[in-house]
Amino acid sequence: MSRELKNHERYGLGSAIGDKACHLFVKWYIHTLNLTTREDDGWDKWSFEVPFDSNAGRVLFRAGFFTSLADLEDYENWEVIQKGKGKGKTHLY
């Protein structure tokens, strides 16, 4: 699943996300959507890290995942988005 997410000819993320972040995202996605079909001691909710490093977080934000949870104004109020504090003048404000 990780390889397909990165390498799909049309929808793949390519190098926009690293291998580790991609693996973590896939594990989180499988657990969140209950895609496993049986109880497995090796695959429970504590078997992986939450994949919110900067790369995975950036992909989730750009894909619209975070805006399905809260509005941009909420993220600004919570100081998740900090106007004018982008690295190397890459911010949008």
Side-chain angles (χ1 to χ4, degrees), residues 57-90:
R58 189 176 305 117
V59 170
L60 291 171
F61 198 95
R62 289 179 180 169
F65 177 80
F66 289 132
T67 53
S68 69
L69 303 174
D71 295 333
L72 288 175
E73 185 177 313
D74 292 326
Y75 290 115
E76 290 174 358
N77 291 337
W78 300 330
E79 296 184 10
V80 173
I81 296 175
Q82 300 175 4
K83 290 184 178 182
K85 295 191 178 185
K87 178 180 161 187
K89 298 184 181 183
T90 59

Side-chain angles (χ1 to χ4, degrees), residues 17-66:
I17 187 172
D19 291 335
K20 181 180 178 185
C22 190
H23 292 309
L24 292 172
F25 172 75
V26 166
K27 290 178 180 181
W28 172 77
Y29 192 81
I30 288 171
H31 175 73
T32 300
L33 297 179
N34 296 316
L35 298 180
T36 54
T37 58
R38 63 183 175 90
E39 288 296 319
D40 184 354
D41 290 337
W43 188 270
D44 64 14
K45 65 181 180 178
W46 306 116
S47 65
F48 58 91
E49 301 171 43
V50 177
F52 293 120
D53 67 359
S54 63
N55 293 325
R58 189 176 305 117
V59 170
L60 291 171
F61 198 95
R62 289 179 180 169
F65 177 80
F66 289 132

